[in-house]
Amino acid sequence: MASADKNIYFIVIPNPSVGYIEAGEICFIDKDLYERKKENTDRLPVTLVHMGRSMHTDIDKLLLRPLKLRSAELLLALESNTDRLVALNDPKALEEASNLSLDSRVCVEYNGKWLKGVIRYIGNIKSYSYEPITGAFFGVELQGEDTGKGQNNGSYLHKTCFTCPNNSGIFAPFTRIKPVDHKPSAPPLPTQSSPSMTSTEPLIVGDRVTFFGDKNAHHGMVMAIKDSPDGKMVLISTDKDEEGKQGGEMTVPLDCVIKEELLNKDETEKMDTSQSPEMGGVPDTEDISVGSLVQFIVGKKISYGIVRWIGYLPDYPEKSALLEVEDGSGVSDGTYKGKQYFKCPPQSGLFVKLSICRPDDRFSVAKEKEFNGNSDKASVYVEEENVPPIRTEDVSKQLIGRMKGIQGHCNSCYMDSALFSVFSCSSVLDSLLFKSTQDQTIQSILLKSIVNPLRKHGFVPERSVMNLRKQLQNRERCPTYTTDEKDPEEFLSLIMQEILSLDPPLKLCSPSGSGHKEQSCYYYQIFMDYNHHLVLPTVQQLLEHSFFSNSLKLAEVPACLILTMPRSGKSFKMFPKIIPSIELDITGLLVDGPQPCVLCGQLANEECAECFSDTLFSDTGFKYFCLKCSTQVHSHKHRRCHKTTSLHLPQGFSYSQSSGSDPRTPPREKLELFAVLCIETSHYVSFVKYGPRDTDWIFFDSMADRVGESNGYNIPEVRACPEVGQYLHMSLAQLANQVPREMEGVAKRLFCDGYMYLYQSKSMSLYR
């Protein structure tokens, strides 16, 4: 995601002259670039990146209206460009929506009716993580007489945004939200006999406070301080709510609150400092220690986090814990009263009493035994014995079924799908598991807790992947690896490059001048210009066009080739379908390899770049000719002006060998497709080609089903999908006529949602 403070955001207003850009689209430009461009004439185009298309283009500045970041996010939640333009004409509604916050009372439109509720979530629910900015939706919990009239429990697809009773949650853009004017309820003001609540010392988040409600004093911790029409209000996490139950939250006027250290100063000074050291951590308890996954109650919601510190806080006698929470419901970055106890992202740290924490039951052995139905399987977390990939004949009995594959949890689908695709039935990247490395902890988890159990038992519990995510996070590779969705290519690159230091499997070069400048990479992102004529492309065609337009060649045959497709967002696919190439012929992509003539098949002498898009000679993009065929082809009046370039032969080949009655036919280099990762509406799944037959395909979804709600668990599933084979044998005309929703089984996902394609060289993988 683009950094909010480095960009200026715009909406395109009518009517752009560029045909593929529509009025109502949201776009942005880097601030520094804008400062350099704005001094030019008013008609000077500026380079922008459009939301959802990751596309750079030029637009006249007169067609752009600046937006605040929050306004851009709110408008982006509207799917129709027309709706955005209409909403733009109501600045008051946009401003009101921008000022809404959590716990605001609103009315939300659903099925033509306005229902009453409270905002529990504001943010993205369906956009891909790699989009520059995402649409901001409001998650509303219906209340009162409207409870149960909604559509969900606070989850959208497999993402839990907040928790509420079934059918009491609604996600809506700001155009379906109306704020309700009200005055927050508050406890009665203190009586004359109460201590004065006025203090010259300001309250800050994390302070222990006392306030009075009904006839009793309440105690708690300051979670937030907010402005309201009635003055400043304090959100307090109470030790007991007004019904005497443990935990709970209350919003109280600032004038009704006093710091506990002022009220009980004498007792605080008498506290035994030997048992409550001012700053230090204390020995861990038997059940919960630093690093434990725990759950706790915030209001009516079960929240989850990782214990980062245990000890005594200043001026508070009970043992406390600093939690790094999963759902962003924290209030700090691990700082309390100016002291940093643990560094975590903003709004992710939360200090709580240790006594309210319980072990996270999502990872309990008892629960795993319950949903596995097999106590032996539940105990398999570490498999010391190294296991080869699952054989073709063993896939059906070992890998297919429910509770098979890798169990998903908390936005892990990108990692689950990538690991399953790479390691279940292929060994092309097994060198990652055994190479010498300084980071043996992550390598050991990857091998013994994920790959070996997957290959031996066909199942990996969610806690094993969470353990890997925790290690990635603890090493400060990324502070959100236990909570946020990432890109699979980002994860694979991190593992291969930064952690296990694998040599890049892909070496590219730009054949210009007398030498070749090489560059190494771990995957290749296909980029397409808008001048192509492809309608229903194959992966082979996309790769060739991308190499051609970027003047690239392969320096050598890669053992593993990872390709990501030119798409960004469900509504902005560049192609409605992409046909997987089961074999990827890379002969023409090699910079110094012997090339066959596209007409006669003999050793080629020349390449003609200007014949690239000419399909008269062959379906392949790159055109190589022997001297005889080149003379014939370029004698045509439309090709006489073409300029050919001579080819450089590798050592061992000569043109003299290709003459006479024994012509030399150059060998062809081909890669095999072994897996495809697909994405639709922010959820990754994968297809794996596990055998030689056309029907040897399986489909994997780490979150295919779910048991329970916020404290439930996901059910992964692997299913056979032989129907894929019949579509791969269809002609282009037949595939073009296929209606996606009418395609059998899960075939539609492969053809319409393909994002990452993984290829391997059977021969080269033996040497890498």
Side-chain angles (χ1 to χ4, degrees):
M1 179 175 291
S3 176
D5 58 357
K6 292 184 178 180
N7 299 308
I8 299 176
Y9 299 85
F10 302 94
I11 184 171
V12 180
I13 57 176
N15 282 308
S17 59
V18 183
Y20 52 83
I21 301 173
E22 297 181 2
E25 292 198 67
I26 307 296
C27 46
F28 74 88
I29 182 173
D30 181 84
K31 280 185 178 179
D32 293 337
L33 178 59
Y34 179 75
E35 290 298 323
R36 296 196 302 268
K37 295 284 188 179
K38 71 176 184 178
E39 300 301 329
N40 296 309
T41 64
D42 291 339
R43 301 294 299 178
L44 181 68
V46 292
T47 303
L48 301 168
V49 180
H50 285 239
M51 302 302 98
R53 278 198 257 188
S54 294
M55 183 191 71
H56 296 268
T57 187
D58 291 341
I59 305 178
D60 195 311
K61 289 194 296 184
L62 295 178
L63 300 178
L64 300 174
R65 180 180 297 182
L67 295 173
K68 296 179 181 178
L69 172 59
R70 172 56 60 163
S71 297
E73 291 173 330
L74 292 172
L75 290 169
L76 198 58
L78 304 176
E79 293 188 3
S80 165
N81 290 331
T82 302
D83 290 344
R84 293 175 191 160
L85 293 173
V86 172
L88 191 66
N89 291 326
D90 190 357
K92 181 179 179 181
L94 192 58
E95 183 66 23
E96 286 182 346
S98 299
N99 293 329
L100 289 174
S101 59
L102 297 181
D103 300 326
S104 295
R105 296 191 177 276
V106 295
C107 287
V108 55
E109 188 273 328
Y110 181 60
N111 287 338
K113 298 180 179 179
W114 288 94
L115 309 177
K116 295 180 180 179
V118 175
I119 295 176
R120 299 301 188 196
Y121 176 81
I122 304 174
N124 170 44
I125 62 171
K126 62 180 181 179
S127 296
Y128 302 115
S129 61
Y130 50 78
E131 290 182 351
I133 67 170
T134 54
F137 290 80
F138 292 91
V140 178
E141 178 183 356
L142 300 180
Q143 295 191 335
E145 61 183 13
D146 292 328
T147 300
K149 297 181 181 179
Q151 58 186 160
N152 55 54
N153 63 352
S155 297
Y156 184 84
L157 294 180
H158 300 282
K159 178 179 180 180
T160 300
C161 300
F162 65 96
T163 303
C164 67
N166 285 337
N167 298 320
S168 293
I170 292 177
F171 292 101
F174 80 97
T175 51
R176 291 168 47 202
I177 299 289
K178 290 182 179 179
V180 175
D181 294 330
H182 71 288
K183 295 185 177 181
S185 59
L189 293 175
T191 62
Q192 292 296 323
S193 59
S194 302
S196 171
M197 297 297 153
T198 304
S199 171
T200 57
E201 295 190 34
L203 282 178
I204 61 174
V205 172
D207 280 342
R208 290 288 308 173
V209 294
T210 296
F211 61 98
F212 291 84
D214 297 329
K215 299 178 181 179
N216 301 317
H218 296 264
H219 308 277
M221 181 181 293
V222 176
M223 306 285 285
I225 301 173
K226 305 177 180 179
D227 290 320
S228 79
D230 296 323
K232 288 189 177 295
M233 306 294 290
V234 183
L235 177 64
I236 301 173
S237 177
T238 63
D239 299 345
K240 289 185 178 181
D241 62 21
E242 293 192 3
E243 298 177 357
K245 297 180 180 179
Q246 192 71 27
E249 291 182 356
M250 294 184 67
T251 301
V252 182
L254 178 62
D255 291 339
C256 299
V257 179
I258 185 173
K259 287 186 179 181
E260 278 190 355
E261 61 187 86
L262 299 178
L263 189 63
N264 301 317
K265 185 174 181 181
D266 291 339
E267 283 119 14
T268 301
E269 292 174 347
K270 295 176 183 178
M271 191 170 59
D272 184 356
T273 56
S274 65
Q275 296 184 10
S276 56
E278 181 182 0
M279 295 304 304
V282 298
D284 300 338
T285 65
E286 181 178 353
D287 294 331
I288 297 176
S289 60
V290 173
S292 294
L293 300 174
V294 297
Q295 62 186 45
F296 57 100
I297 302 294
V298 178
K300 299 179 180 179
K301 175 185 176 183
I302 298 178
S303 294
Y304 302 92
I306 303 174
V307 178
R308 296 304 189 188
W309 175 87
I310 294 176
Y312 290 98
L313 294 169
D315 307 328
Y316 186 61
E318 289 195 46
K319 190 182 291 185
S320 301
L322 168 60
L323 306 182
E324 185 174 356
V325 292
E326 290 183 358
D327 54 6
S329 59
V331 297
S332 75
D333 61 353
T335 300
Y336 177 77
K337 291 191 173 182
K339 179 71 176 181
Q340 186 94 46
Y341 289 78
F342 179 85
K343 188 175 182 180
C344 58
Q347 307 301 312
S348 295
L350 184 65
F351 289 94
V352 300
K353 293 191 298 183
L354 183 61
S355 60
I356 73 169
C357 297
R358 298 290 182 268
D360 190 335
D361 63 7
R362 297 174 301 177
F363 302 96
S364 66
V365 174
K367 178 165 288 187
E368 287 185 8
K369 290 181 179 180
E370 173 188 341
F371 62 68
N372 288 339
N374 183 338
S375 60
D376 292 333
K377 182 184 292 186
S379 63
V380 177
Y381 306 119
V382 176
E383 182 61 57
E384 296 288 345
E385 178 187 2
N386 295 330
V387 185
I390 301 174
R391 299 183 304 174
T392 301
E393 56 268 29
D394 295 332
V395 166
S396 61
K397 63 181 180 182
Q398 189 170 326
L399 199 55
I400 293 178
R402 286 168 63 85
M403 291 308 297
K404 292 289 188 176
I406 302 174
Q407 185 182 23
H409 168 63
C410 192
N411 296 321
S412 68
C413 59
Y414 72 96
M415 189 178 293
D416 308 327
S417 298
L419 291 170
F420 185 87
S421 297
V422 170
F423 293 113
S424 61
C425 301
S426 173
S427 61
V428 68
L429 289 179
D430 274 16
S431 57
L432 281 171
L433 308 174
F434 305 109
K435 71 181 300 293
S436 177
T437 177
Q438 294 182 348
D439 206 327
Q440 296 182 355
T441 300
I442 286 182
Q443 187 182 52
S444 178
I445 293 173
L446 188 61
L447 174 62
K448 298 177 181 180
S449 297
I450 296 177
V451 177
N452 284 343
L454 175 64
R455 291 174 173 178
K456 186 171 183 177
H457 304 283
F459 174 76
V460 178
E462 61 186 27
R463 74 155 98 193
S464 296
V465 177
M466 178 58 76
N467 193 17
L468 176 62
R469 298 169 76 183
K470 286 168 56 181
Q471 291 297 326
L472 295 174
Q473 179 165 286
N474 289 344
R475 281 159 174 74
E476 297 185 357
R477 307 292 182 180
C478 179
T480 57
Y481 253 100
T482 58
T483 56
D484 290 3
E485 181 182 297
K486 310 291 180 186
D487 297 330
E489 65 268 29
E490 174 188 346
F491 163 64
L492 290 175
S493 294
L494 176 66
I495 290 289
M496 290 190 288
Q497 179 178 6
E498 296 187 34
I499 296 179
L500 300 182
S501 302
L502 183 73
D503 290 336
L506 185 59
K507 291 180 171 56
L508 305 175
C509 64
S510 298
S512 58
S514 58
H516 303 318
K517 184 179 179 181
E518 288 191 9
Q519 56 182 357
S520 300
C521 52
Y522 291 86
Y523 70 95
Y524 179 71
Q525 168 71 60
I526 290 179
F527 293 98
M528 298 292 293
D529 58 44
Y530 281 84
N531 296 321
H532 66 81
H533 302 289
L534 299 177
V535 177
L536 187 61
T538 64
V539 174
Q540 177 86 39
Q541 291 173 320
L542 292 175
L543 181 60
E544 289 176 346
H545 275 72
S546 184
F547 267 43
F548 178 77
S549 61
N550 291 282
S551 300
L552 293 174
K553 290 289 182 71
L554 291 172
E556 62 183 30
V557 177
C560 180
L561 177 60
I562 301 175
L563 303 174
T564 56
M565 294 296 107
R567 60 162 293 167
S568 182
K570 179 182 176 182
S571 301
F572 297 98
K573 296 177 185 177
M574 186 171 286
F575 303 100
K577 295 191 189 83
I578 294 176
I579 303 174
S581 299
I582 301 302
E583 281 191 331
L584 199 63
D585 191 337
I586 61 169
T587 308
L589 304 181
L590 293 168
V591 65
D592 284 332
Q595 302 294 340
C597 174
V598 295
L599 295 181
C600 68
Q602 295 188 21
L603 190 63
N605 304 75
E606 299 176 344
E607 177 184 3
C608 182
E610 293 172 273
C611 287
F612 176 84
S613 58
D614 196 333
T615 58
L616 178 64
F617 312 116
S618 70
D619 292 332
T620 183
F622 289 90
K623 302 299 190 296
Y624 301 97
F625 303 98
C626 66
L627 291 177
K628 180 179 179 180
C629 293
S630 180
T631 300
Q632 293 176 341
V633 167
H634 294 99
S635 63
H636 193 280
K637 62 180 181 179
H638 290 158
R639 305 187 195 96
R640 289 172 186 168
C641 59
H642 288 191
K643 294 182 180 180
T644 61
T645 56
S646 298
L647 298 178
H648 299 281
L649 286 180
Q651 187 175 2
F653 277 82
S654 66
Y655 291 111
S656 60
Q657 292 175 303
S658 64
S659 61
S661 59
D662 184 26
R664 293 289 299 272
T665 301
R668 304 203 72 86
E669 295 288 350
K670 296 183 179 181
L671 305 180
E672 297 179 359
L673 178 67
F674 70 93
V676 181
L677 271 70
C678 303
I679 181 172
E680 181 184 20
T681 320
S682 197
H683 180 59
Y684 287 94
V685 296
S686 66
F687 290 82
V688 171
K689 183 79 164 60
Y690 67 89
R693 296 176 300 179
D694 297 336
T695 55
D696 290 341
W697 286 89
I698 52 177
F699 172 76
F700 166 64
D701 186 348
S702 65
M703 304 177 183
D705 200 356
R706 185 169 179 84
V707 173
E709 296 179 6
S710 62
N711 60 344
Y713 51 87
N714 292 309
I715 298 179
E717 181 179 16
V718 180
R719 67 167 86 169
C721 50
E723 66 274 9
V724 167
Q726 75 180 57
Y727 290 102
L728 290 173
H729 275 288
M730 288 184 178
S731 66
L732 291 180
Q734 289 175 307
L735 278 173
N737 290 327
Q738 293 294 317
V739 179
R741 65 175 178 273
E742 296 177 359
M743 297 177 77
E744 293 184 23
V746 292
K748 174 258 181 186
R749 307 287 297 274
L750 178 64
F751 288 89
C752 299
D753 302 327
Y755 174 69
M756 176 185 286
Y757 294 74
L758 293 86
Y759 288 88
Q760 61 185 353
S761 169
K762 289 291 188 181
S763 57
M764 293 304 298
S765 61
L766 298 176
Y767 305 101
R768 301 295 173 85

